[in-house]
């Protein structure tokens, strides 16, 4: 069997299919990159396609997303889905891929002229990028809580361990699906993880307790996906342990929020300050720098990150903590 024959076989075997046309330039991998956390076993990138397994209100599903078409207006993403939640998962794909992400005000000439040259150039090279909107609150909230006050390496290692231990096999497309793809635990399954397993995953008691508190309100949390991003972020912060950084990181991914800034991030303020002024700054300074572009501050940050800019090393790196020895 050749690679060219694979999509036809997948489409024939799928429980639900969809073709989404972005109506212009589109980069699937760069758009979904904020959702891909290292070796997250609920995702797989395979021969130009992205696979993702997750649970919908109708049940578990696996989706395969693959770019197709050559001419600009013919570009599309082909979607196949399997499992009890296949129809719901396929229907949610356009939102996931940024169908409602509108850059027209950002690209309006008068506004565009106010942007730093770095941002304008990055946007020129990134016309195919959208802000993704997964709409899945629990799936985004848990790994982001695990990233609180620790290194990305440590958080992702722990998340990967927990998914391998407590995730479920993904609905599959037979032998064509990538091996090892799993569904993240549901809220009910996360609540059954014992304290010693959090410990083995390197997750301290403060972060695991925050996960547990949040997921006791999982039904209410999932309803936040239908609210405006800023309102959803504010409501999340009523849960002890969820602050402005966590809420911002979540709505950037669940709502595709174009204005949400990760205040409290260990590196971001210094990075933005260095990019825009050549000098490091703190959170208050970062917000002052970004204030002229209110409404699009996350877009500006995303473009700075896309520019290839690397800030000078200003101080010691955060050290990796090993909670499993205590």
């Amino acid at each position: 069997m050749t690679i060219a024959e694979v999509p036809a076989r997948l489409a024939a075997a799928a429980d639900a299919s969809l073709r989404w046309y972005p109506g212009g330039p589109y980069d699937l991998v760069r758009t979904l990159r904020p959702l891909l956390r290292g070796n997250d076993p609920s995702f797989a990138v395979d021969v130009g396609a992205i696979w993702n397994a997750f649970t919908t209100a109708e049940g578990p599903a696996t989706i395969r997303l693959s770019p197709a078409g050559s001419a600009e207006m013919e570009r599309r993403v082909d979607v196949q889905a399997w499992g009890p939640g296949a129809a719901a998962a396929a229907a949610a794909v356009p939102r996931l891929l940024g169908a409602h992400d509108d850059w027209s005000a950002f690209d309006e000439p008068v506004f565009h002229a106010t942007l730093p040259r770095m941002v304008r150039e990055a946007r020129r090279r990134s016309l195919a990028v959208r802000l993704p909107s997964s709409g899945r609150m629990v799936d985004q909230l848990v790994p982001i809580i695990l990233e609180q006050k620790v290194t990305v390496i440590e958080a992702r290692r722990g998340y990967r361990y927990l998914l391998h231990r407590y995730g479920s096999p993904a609905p599959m497309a037979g032998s064509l699906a990538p091996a090892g793809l799993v569904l993240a635990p549901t809220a009910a399954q996360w609540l059954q993880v014992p304290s010693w397993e959090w410990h083995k995953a390197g997750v301290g008691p403060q972060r695991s307790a925050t996960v547990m508190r949040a997921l006791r309100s999982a039904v209410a949390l999932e309803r936040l996906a239908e609210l405006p991003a800023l309102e959803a972020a504010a409501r999340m912060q009523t849960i002890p342990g969820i602050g402005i950084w966590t809420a911002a990181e979540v709505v950037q991914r669940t709502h595709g929020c174009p204005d949400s800034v990760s205040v409290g991030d260990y590196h971001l303020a210094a990075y933005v300050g260095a990019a825009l002024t050549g000098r490091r700054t703190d959170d208050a300074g970062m917000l002052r720098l970004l204030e002229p572009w209110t409404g699009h501050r996350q877009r500006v940050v995303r473009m700075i990150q896309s520019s290839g800019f690397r800030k000078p090393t200003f101080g010691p790196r955060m050290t990796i903590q090993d909670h499993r020895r205590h």
Side-chain angles (χ1 to χ4, degrees), residues 166-205:
Y166 292 96
S168 305
M172 286 299 188
S175 61
L176 298 175
L181 194 68
V182 301
L183 294 155
T186 63
Q189 290 168 330
W190 279 117
L191 289 170
Q192 297 302 311
V193 176
S195 59
W196 59 85
E197 289 287 7
W198 292 105
H199 192 68
K200 287 181 180 178
V203 178

Side-chain angles (χ1 to χ4, degrees), residues 8-23:
R9 290 193 56 184
L10 287 167
D15 296 319
S17 297
L18 177 76
R19 279 186 170 175
W20 178 68
Y21 292 85

